């Protein structure tokens, strides 16, 4: 039963569900449904898929998440970056419009879903950690730029398409003369309107006395208004005959449930992109979930979230949809509207189903240019180029990883950009880890404290080399420590004792232990004793079971002062009694 | 000039070189030359190459290392594991005996040499760190077993060959009835003799009054004696006619210098194996160099060692040799014989050249079975299966990585075994890093110290959550810390303050900083303040430049006690004044 509860969070909140919460969730669902329809259509267009696929991807996933998800307010569905990644991957299988293209997108949702569920079962959520903040932020910025640039062509009615930002620009250049005036008028008007709604409407509404929350909610209706007005305009002025591309016939009715065809060959081809979509989607999803949960002090189980997101994608796949994830904007709408349980999501799914059943004829004259405008406005808010400077200032390595991710994504496309970013940040991490900070320390006069000889006026005994190791001793740095000790002792023939001060050594693995053994053995042959000081309790517990302590030529001391005082009591005591002198 | 000295260590020791050192080095060279000849022939046979290739690989590399190496006593040349890896990789290109097989082995030395030089120039020596001790030790054990098993067939004169331990066993089984009695007699006698020399001769010599060092040196002549005696036996009893395979004609004379043919296709195929050989070879080499250098307090420059080892391999390749590295046994012989400078190595190269010019006819009747016996005895000393148990006891993760490396090497062969080992140890490292130890701490009565609530009877304020983070805050664990704080605060609605105690936080990267910002922001929305305590100097220096400190809802305190005393002075002071109570 406990296991059921763990894997089916619906049993927990469902047990307490009551009429009042239901009424509340129903109201929320009405609001969210209205907002989700244009988003769903737009992201389907972005992924290069027929509009109804976006609607399909907004039903089953919401139901699945309501059953398996641990966040009360996260809303799953198509999002910008995952849609772009889907388009990039499906584009390598077939060209847009071909049935194989749609098949690849559906298979991607399936594979991605299975991978996520698998990762959740194996508790591999930590894999997502290796997408560092700078890499994910750089990737999202570059994706945002690429998406926005990709939507310029439909916005003004020219041709243009490509796998990366520069591809898109290059493919558009020859067509710049073919701008369709009617399309551009609809598109640019929508764009300006939507930007104004974002920046100007909310303050205006507040000025005329509306509360902040209601003003915010109303401002979010901007896309619906733009869609309504432009659809009516296209219909009434017959703009479709003047070259304005419209959504056209959207098949009515619910998707048929079907297992996506299992083609080993196809699945292998999309495995890497599906994995990348899974991880990027999970990172976005879990971070939104944590942010919303914190506001109401609710818990999120990261491994269960993998399962929930995976099941949502499986749900999307079997109902003919494409990869989905927990989106920031849709979740915020859900949260702000006052959703209390995942039931609100389930009701939203029903709302979208009703829309799909009855309202699709209304979408016939919806111009693609308006959808392009809503996408551009949405994604440009993701772009944060200033973050590179800001990150670089804080950490060169992180700044470099971020810049590399952005550049490679813009030039080579999403997959290579992301893989390079992840590879580079793991590499830089391993590199930094392999050269930890080690300080030569000496006694601060007038105290029993030891500090870096380079930063403080400290007293040292030439026969004693005291090193404070600011890192755990494990395989990435084990050899470095060996080499450093060897170097230091070779450079100074007076040294008779080496003391390793270990307050920041959180762990010693087998490689670290063998390095300590090698250091001890080598120092012994050079007639130098090795001591340890300030070894942490859990680290000492493990060392106690080893031969190292038996072989150790020196001793393990409680503090660095004890170690020095044992070897040269006179100097240690006289230094302690001295008045402190400030260097320089 | 300084740059020359850095990259050409010969300028440093060469400047001080004098007549006396030269005489000494010359004597050493004579001893080492005699020992190296059988080793060179044996390892060429192990690599599936003609015997003279082993001699070639023992000349130019020694000269190159004398010019570029920073160790005074390291001896480079063919070694067991690298020879096995060469055979495995060349075997995928052509079958033994084919000119393409030899070509692949030579190209491997070239590619491996260039990779090493490149890594040295880019100071990428740290890459070798990712071969953790358990993985390298497991790999060497498995390789030793595989090599020994592979030599059983030539030892007893049957057929048998394979890519892995189990392959070899399987291929030998059907031929077990075909044992050649004469071969087996020679082989097994040599084997027993060599084992006895290793274990029984040295104590015997010491017993009859010989010094330990001379006894040790003399015992190392065992292989030469075995080779001499069996060669004479084969010649005098005409055993070659009874099916005893002999080395046969070894071409006289020095190798011709030639650039190995550059075939893009071939080079790409051997890139990964060459990289693996490079790294394994480097790890062995640097560890031998450090061990020997420590005995005389000499310095080793790890990056220059990459260049030296690389140039040695390039030297081997252009003189028709195969991959070489700094070997343990040959270096020990060199060191024990009293080598003072790398000139001893250069003189050894000359010695081997003389032998190649004049002594090869003596090798005609040398039986392969004797070479097989010398290999078996040499490699079995590398096998250490007990290390698995010992490592497992110290660390489950390390033990698992070691066991996986051994098993995969035995079953699937050297490359897959090694790659799996490295992959697994990096993965386990990242995994462990991603879930750092975090302790909830409380005040130890009667002190200003804070300790783990689970280990000590400490006093806590229900409104304050004090967490000691035993790790740096960086991307592998950033999200874990976020989730953990979120969880802890969600579980206890009384919490009003969270204090992160950071004495073991050695660094905070951009991801860690963003996580702190997210934690602060989320806690703020839940009406909880975030404080930091005991932030290290360099970490604080960096934080000072950020917005995080401005946004921080709480404060940064010098010590954990200060933090608690600021929030709840009454409790902190009264606890400090209490007498300490021991829990349980």
């Amino acid at each position: 039963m406990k296991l059921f509860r763990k894997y089916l969070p619906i049993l927990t909140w469902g047990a307490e569900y009551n009429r009042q919460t239901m009424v509340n969730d129903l109201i929320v669902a009405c609001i969210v449904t209205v907002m989700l329809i244009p988003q769903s259509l737009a992201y389907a267009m972005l992924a290069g898929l027929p509009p109804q696929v976006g609607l399909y991807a907004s039903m089953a996933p919401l139901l699945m998440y309501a059953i398996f998800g641990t966040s009360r307010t996260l809303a799953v569905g198509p999002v910008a970056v995952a849609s772009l990644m889907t388009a990039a991957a499906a584009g390598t299988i077939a060209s847009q419009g071909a049935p194989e293209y749609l098949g690849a997108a559906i298979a991607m949702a399936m594979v991605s879903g299975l991978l996520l569920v698998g990762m959740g079962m194996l508790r591999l959520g930590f894999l997502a950690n290796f997408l560092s903040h700078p890499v994910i932020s750089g990737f999202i910025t570059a994706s945002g730029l690429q998406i926005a640039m990709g939507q310029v062509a439909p916005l003004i009615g020219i041709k243009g398409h490509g796998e990366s930002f520069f591809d898109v620009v290059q493919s558009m250049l020859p067509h710049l003369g073919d701008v369709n005036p009617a399309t551009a008028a609809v598109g640019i008007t929508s764009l300006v309107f939507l930007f104004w709604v974002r920046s100007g409407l909310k303050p205006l509404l507040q000025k005329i006395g509306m509360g902040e929350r209601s003003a915010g909610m109303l401002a979010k209706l901007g896309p619906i208004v733009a869609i309504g007005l432009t659809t009516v305009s296209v219909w009434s002025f017959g703009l479709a005959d003047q070259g304005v591309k419209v959504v056209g016939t959207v098949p009515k009715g619910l998707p048929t449930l079907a297992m996506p065809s299992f083609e080993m060959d196809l699945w292998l081809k999309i495995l890497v992109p599906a994995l990348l979509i899974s991880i990027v989607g999970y990172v976005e999803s879990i971070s939104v979930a944590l942010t919303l949960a914190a506001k109401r002090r609710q818990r999120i189980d990261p491994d269960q979230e993998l399962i929930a997101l995976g099941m949502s994608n499986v749900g999307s796949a079997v109902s003919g949809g494409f990869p989905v994830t927990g989106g920031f904007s849709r979740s915020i709408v859900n949260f702000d509207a006052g959703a209390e349980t995942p039931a609100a999501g389930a009701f939203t799914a029903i709302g979208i189903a009703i829309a799909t059943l009855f309202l699709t004829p209304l979408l016939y004259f919806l111009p693609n240019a308006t959808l392009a405008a809503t996408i551009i406005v949405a994604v440009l808010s993701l772009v944060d180029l200033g973050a590179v400077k800001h990150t670089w200032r804080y950490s060169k390595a992180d700044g470099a990883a971020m810049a590399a991710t952005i550049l490679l994504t813009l030039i080579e496309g999403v997959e290579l950009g992301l893989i390079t970013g992840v590879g580079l940040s793991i590499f830089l991490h391993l590199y930094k880890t392999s050269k930890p900070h080690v300080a030569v320390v000496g006694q601060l006069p007038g105290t029993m404290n030891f500090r870096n000889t380079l930063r403080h006026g400290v007293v040292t005994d030439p026969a004693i080399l005291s090193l404070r190791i600011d890192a755990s001793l494990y395989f990435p740095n084990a050899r470095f420590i060996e080499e450093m000790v060897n170097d230091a002792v070779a450079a100074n023939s007076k040294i008779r004792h080496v003391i390793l001060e270990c307050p920041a050594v959180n762990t010693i693995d087998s490689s670290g232990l063998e390095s300590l053994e090698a250091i001890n053995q080598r120092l012994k042959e050079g007639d130098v004793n090795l001591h340890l000081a300030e070894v942490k309790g859990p680290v000492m517990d493990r060392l106690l079971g080893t031969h190292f302590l038996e072989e150790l030529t020196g001793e393990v001391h409680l503090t660095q002062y004890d170690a020095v005082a044992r070897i040269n009591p006179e100097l240690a005591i006289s230094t302690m009694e001295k008045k402190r002198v400030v260097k320089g």
Side-chain angles (χ1 to χ4, degrees), chain A residues 444-478:
Chain A
L444 214 51
T447 73
M448 292 163 86
N449 298 332
F450 285 71
R451 291 288 180 275
N452 194 332
T453 49
L454 300 176
R455 290 189 176 219
H456 302 267
V458 292
V459 175
T460 54
D461 176 342
I464 305 176
L465 174 68
S466 298
L467 299 169
R468 192 190 66 224
I469 298 173
D470 285 349
S472 291
L473 291 179
Y474 50 0
F475 74 92
N477 62 30

Side-chain angles (χ1 to χ4, degrees), chain A residues 389-413:
Chain A
K389 205 170 132 196
H390 162 249
T391 305
W392 173 266
R393 216 182 290 139
Y394 184 73
S395 153
K396 303 275 171 292
D398 285 330
M402 192 170 185
T405 308
I406 293 180
L407 280 180
L408 268 139
T409 305
L410 290 180
I411 299 168
E412 296 289 338

Side-chain angles (χ1 to χ4, degrees), chain A residues 273-292:
Chain A
L275 183 67
L276 294 179
I277 291 180
S278 305
I279 293 184
V280 170
Y282 175 66
V283 169
E284 179 172 358
S285 192
I286 192 87
S287 112
V288 175
L290 277 172
T291 301
L292 298 180

Side-chain angles (χ1 to χ4, degrees), chain A residues 21 79 233 247 341 364 375-376 380 392 401 404 426 463 505 527-528:
Chain A
T21 321
V79 302
S233 310
V247 165
T341 71
Y364 188 92
I375 294 176
I376 292 175
L380 282 186
W392 173 266
I426 292 184
V505 175
D527 212 17
V528 175

